[in-house]
Amino acid sequence: MLLWFLPLFLLLILIGLPIVFALMASPIALILLQGDERNVVAGLYRNFYNGMDSFPLMALPFFMLAGEIMNRGGITMRLVEFSQALIGHFRGGLAHVNILSSFLFAGMSGSAVADVSALGSTLIPAMEKNGYTRRFAAAITAASSVIGPIIPPSGIMIIYAYVMGESVAALFLAGIVPGILVGLGLMLTVRLMADRYDLPKAERIVSPGQTISRTEYWVSFALLRLNLGYLVFALTGLIMTANGFGGWMHYAVSVIAVHFGLLRLRERVSPDFRLICKKAVAPLQTPIIILGGILLGVFTPTEASAVAVAYALIVSFFVLRSMTLRDLWAVLSKSALGTAAVLLLVGAAVAFKTVVSLSYAPQIMSDFMLSLSSNPLILLFLINILLFVVGMFLDAGPAIIILGPILGPIFVSLGVDPIHFAMIMSVNLTVGLATPPMGLVLFVSSTVSGERVETIARAILPFLAVEIFVIFLITYIPEISMTIPRLTGFAQ
């Protein structure tokens, strides 16, 4: 059966049929071959419904909506200005700003396409004006956008958790260090290229005449002290522990200590720099709320996505006052269309997965791979090559749904932790979004920049090399992915 359906799927993809219809061709063919034409519609409906009827999957539309609200509410420019103020003075400053902005934006959108669309339209013209070539600006924007689906919240990790029955929270936490490594690797590459290719020098960019409303000022004032105070409280709690009233007193003392430390620090920076930092506090609270709420057990990842939407609405309407009710219709429409496309794809892919499982594909693939080698290290190398090639042609979501149930059990049986394998697969397929010839973000970057895909593909190769190196680090050093989930009790 596998001999019929996989070639059919690949053929339909090659002739340009949309993936959702190519995925549905296999279950249709299965039902027809069984001679039960009357149940074609009922079978398709059942597979679609079962594929989308999942509480964890509700996090996808909510996170997409939260990211869209933040983007529409002018959050993107605040993150860019904050990044410029922090690291814009380094050699190749705007390239570093591009990477850091992607890192910060990832904590709100979880989407590589949203990253390229939102940041590319702002940073690519700015980089070109500053002396960078357009193809370099487009390439670094595409390369850094893959951080989006790695840093939590991540849409593809929600899909992986749904398909493979893993913990969404564990996958979110496992993605933190790999995402940081990708960002640092890209920054190191830019620094090495800065002298060789004479990248433009930059000075610290702090836009003069910054203003902030009284409401936002006091909200940022309070959030900054509460967050940093909790960080000090957690770090000092490793040495001294207190519960009940003593714990609250410990936290209060931490907040007061942070307050006086910030008062000393403000004397050393300009008023405009302080205001830029204050304007970034409210947006950057989103990933803190998501991860903090999950880690403290306040809400589940799905509930966290709804809380993120509520927080985004409160910030955009009442704190920043950057959105009106008139803007809300466009935001809801765009996020609804994006959600519909993703969930249709998930439903179709689950139907396809059912056909694959009936065809004994996992057993066939397992026997084939074990016939090549029984050494897990060699098999991990081979599977990375396979995933990298698949990622060149297939979007990360469908690839995870199709290949996850086939490949996951093989490596778990070889002793690879399921969370670790999830990171290997997710990061590899995410990098595929920026890999020629069919990487989706290459085409989005081309549209935003006006540069040809071929020229962006050539310029992105050094950054892809770094990202591939990080993939192999993640593969052969499990502690990179597993340390935070183990420390927080979400993995063993």
Side-chain angles (χ1 to χ4, degrees), residues 436-439 442-444 446-447 451-459:
M438 298 295 292
L442 291 179
F443 292 93
V444 179
S446 174
T447 302
E451 192 71 21
R452 295 176 61 187
V453 173
E454 304 92 284
T455 58
I456 298 175
R458 286 194 293 270

Side-chain angles (χ1 to χ4, degrees), residues 30-51:
L30 172 63
I31 296 172
L32 293 176
L33 286 174
Q34 290 176 340
D36 196 9
E37 293 87 349
R38 291 176 301 176
N39 289 328
V40 170
V41 175
L44 290 178
Y45 173 80
R46 185 168 55 251
N47 283 324
F48 255 99
Y49 183 80
N50 291 338

